[in-house]
Amino acid sequence: MTNPLEPIGKAWKGFWQKNKRGKLFLVAMLGTIIAILALWELMVMFETEPIADYPLPLIENLDEWSWALLVVGGILSIGGWLYYHDHNKSYHKFEKLINTDSKAQFVRNIDEIEELAIDLGPDFEKKVIERRADFKVKTR
């Protein structure tokens, strides 16, 4: 018996792998904005001096939910920025390794290039296949 949620999981994975860098940035920014808005509401609620006179209409009725939003926003923000930074690091390393003019250097780093391509997504795997064809490197 097959799992009825399996196609949804595959679709989600495919969606997430396309432009992962932009989506991670979006998650990090969304988390940061949520955390800032929740913090603003908490500062208004506790009548913190410079901000108490400027309640924001959209978040004015959050009250105690501000604490939950602050935690959720903080987790999304911190996690998003950490994953975004990690993905960026992998992206730049991949580009540096794959854009070499030396076939020997490409073959020497092929394992690391393939690992990075798998982590980065299917578009990068296609780049590796194209680069292998350019250098005429046989696949295992």
Side-chain angles (χ1 to χ4, degrees):
M1 181 165 200
T2 61
N3 184 356
L5 298 177
E6 191 172 329
I8 295 171
K10 286 183 180 180
W12 174 255
K13 185 176 180 182
F15 168 76
W16 184 250
Q17 288 295 331
K18 296 285 184 184
N19 194 12
K20 194 180 212 180
R21 192 174 178 195
K23 290 177 186 142
L24 285 171
F25 182 78
L26 188 65
V27 166
M29 284 302 296
L30 185 67
T32 303
I33 290 169
I34 289 171
I36 288 172
L37 289 175
L39 189 61
W40 187 282
E41 174 59 19
L42 286 171
M43 292 177 81
V44 168
M45 194 168 84
F46 288 122
E47 298 176 0
T48 306
E49 190 51 44
I51 295 177
D53 300 332
Y54 303 104
L56 298 175
L58 294 175
I59 61 169
E60 198 170 24
N61 298 324
L62 285 177
D63 299 329
E64 283 76 32
W65 284 97
S66 298
W67 290 106
L69 281 179
L70 182 65
V71 170
V72 168
I75 290 170
L76 283 175
S77 180
I78 292 169
W81 287 120
L82 288 174
Y83 279 119
Y84 177 73
H85 174 70
D86 184 52
H87 185 78
N88 251 358
K89 208 165 62 170
S90 296
Y91 173 79
H92 289 296
K93 189 171 189 177
F94 174 82
E95 289 296 324
K96 179 182 169 195
L97 292 174
I98 203 162
N99 288 332
T100 183
D101 292 332
S102 168
K103 179 180 177 178
Q105 190 173 12
F106 178 79
V107 171
R108 191 175 323 120
N109 295 322
I110 193 70
D111 290 335
E112 187 174 5
I113 291 171
E114 288 176 345
E115 268 182 44
L116 288 169
I118 290 169
D119 288 343
L120 293 171
D123 294 338
F124 295 92
E125 292 173 28
K126 290 176 188 171
K127 283 185 181 181
V128 173
I129 292 169
E130 291 170 3
R131 196 66 173 162
R132 276 178 171 269
D134 290 346
F135 281 132
K136 297 181 178 111
V137 175
K138 294 180 186 175
T139 56
R140 294 177 238 170

